[in-house]
Amino acid sequence: MLERGQVANSWRRERWDSFRLLTPNWQSRLPGHRYDGPDPDGYMTMAEVTAFIEGFAARSGAPVRTGADVTSVRRAGDGYQVTTGGGEFRCRTVVIASGACNVPVVPPFAGAVPASVEQLTPFGYRGPAQLPDGGVLVVGASATGVQLAAELRRSGRPVTLSVGEHVRLPRTYRGRDVLWWMDASGVWDQRYDEIDDLTRARRLPSPQLIGTAERTTLDLNALTAMGVELVGRLAAVRDGRALFSGGLRNVFSLADLKMERLLDTFDAWAREHGRDDEAGPPERFAPTRAPERARLQLDLRGGEIRTIVWATGFRPDYGWLDVPVVDEKGRLRHEGGVVDSPGLYALGLPVLRRRRSTFIHGIESDAREVIDHLAGVALAGRPDA
């Protein structure tokens, strides 16, 4: 196993200081290793996640080579040649488990932002103290965007949040964590070959959730109550002005509708499985409140905004993969983790085999099926083993 840094490197170096998992502690489980602390309904801090993964590496005895930055993987005969900063390897099979969040996505028009406005991504953000005084424009309203908008607003800064497509969820539903419902009702078990629009499913933004001791809901209504200003999707930066799309009410209505449908799914599951008495009564939540008049542009030269945080998502980095298996949009071509090159596999990508694929507790079943395929090819004695 080759790791570019230390074990759990991305958790150590690519998260902000107040970061916590979105999944409750009881969902943190790996083969033979699970959370066993005093707060199963809490949410791990960055340091706790690091320790958890280190513990799994030690318990499993995995042969991890740290500081082994892979610079190239290429075909070599009936296998692959893997080049690292510390040497080369020849192998018949390679499993790519480098994840989907290697590089922050920043729109090209970020280059038109005036030099007086500082720009950073979640990879470079650690906390409010590192930012200059003054207003902050957070672009992106998925989990990262809403968390950073709330933290920056609590620091006393004026915050404007640019909102596009998003997934709204309550932190708890009928007395249980909403992710308990996702788990118990089987929503997360839906397989990739059962999904009508798999490409869209794999690109869905992360839900608006935050892990706190109070298990609070952090949706757009909560941010509005804190004093965060909501604007539409940032469409362009032109002549020093940020231009936002209209139609916020439609964006909000769509997210609200999808949440209601999901809650209906939970209620139906509880009725069908005789679980209604174990949970509180069905709940419904107030629609997302749209501002009376959302601004359509913002002058970035006037000093109102001193910082832009681009919480606009992430993408994988396959610059080291010298095998023609990446499409024009930078996505790995694979079928349930079996990559379009003999002996090449992947793990840890969105909806790899199930909707739970990118969560810590979702990797085990994916890994077993991918490795079963790998082993089956080897046992068949085919040249692509």
Side-chain angles (χ1 to χ4, degrees), residues 268-281:
W269 174 84
R271 287 193 303 272
E272 292 168 5
H273 291 80
R275 307 293 290 270
D276 265 335
D277 292 341
E278 299 178 23

Side-chain angles (χ1 to χ4, degrees), residues 114 120 142 158 171 256 265 291 302 308 330 375 384:
L120 70 163
S142 296
R171 178 72 269 185
D256 292 349
T265 298
I308 295 178
D384 59 347

Side-chain angles (χ1 to χ4, degrees), residues 41-221:
D41 292 319
Y43 307 90
M44 287 189 191
T45 64
M46 182 168 54
E48 289 170 333
V49 177
T50 299
F52 180 79
I53 296 174
E54 284 182 322
F56 176 66
R59 176 174 291 188
S60 65
V64 181
R65 294 197 183 195
T66 56
D69 190 13
V70 175
T71 57
S72 173
V73 172
R74 64 178 68 247
R75 291 289 301 182
D78 60 354
Y80 295 90
Q81 178 173 310
V82 180
T83 303
T84 77
E88 295 189 348
F89 299 84
R90 291 292 295 270
C91 54
R92 299 289 295 276
T93 301
V94 174
V95 178
I96 301 169
S98 53
C101 300
N102 308 125
V103 181
V105 173
V106 177
F109 53 73
V113 172
S116 59
V117 177
E118 183 171 331
Q119 303 182 61
L120 70 163
T121 71
F123 276 11
Y125 175 84
R126 287 296 174 266
Q130 78 183 94
L131 273 59
D133 292 337
V136 182
L137 171 62
V138 178
V139 184
S142 296
T144 298
V146 296
Q147 290 180 52
L148 298 189
E151 177 168 284
L152 290 165
R153 182 67 191 119
R154 291 191 192 101
S155 75
R157 289 172 170 77
V159 175
T160 303
L161 178 65
S162 173
V163 181
E165 181 184 11
H166 58 279
V167 177
R168 182 188 180 193
L169 283 181
R171 178 72 269 185
T172 59
Y173 181 64
R174 298 178 65 175
R176 294 181 181 269
D177 193 289
V178 71
L179 300 188
W180 179 91
W181 289 95
M182 297 284 282
D183 199 37
S185 66
V187 170
W188 264 345
D189 289 322
Q190 187 178 23
R191 292 176 53 87
Y192 75 104
D193 48 9
E194 300 171 339
I195 297 173
D196 292 334
D197 190 343
L198 182 59
T199 298
R200 177 172 173 76
R202 285 175 169 166
R203 296 179 63 187
L204 275 179
S206 55
Q208 293 174 335
L209 292 174
I210 187 171
T212 64
E214 302 78 19
R215 299 203 294 174
T216 54
T217 291
L218 184 63
D219 58 12
L220 298 180
N221 284 344

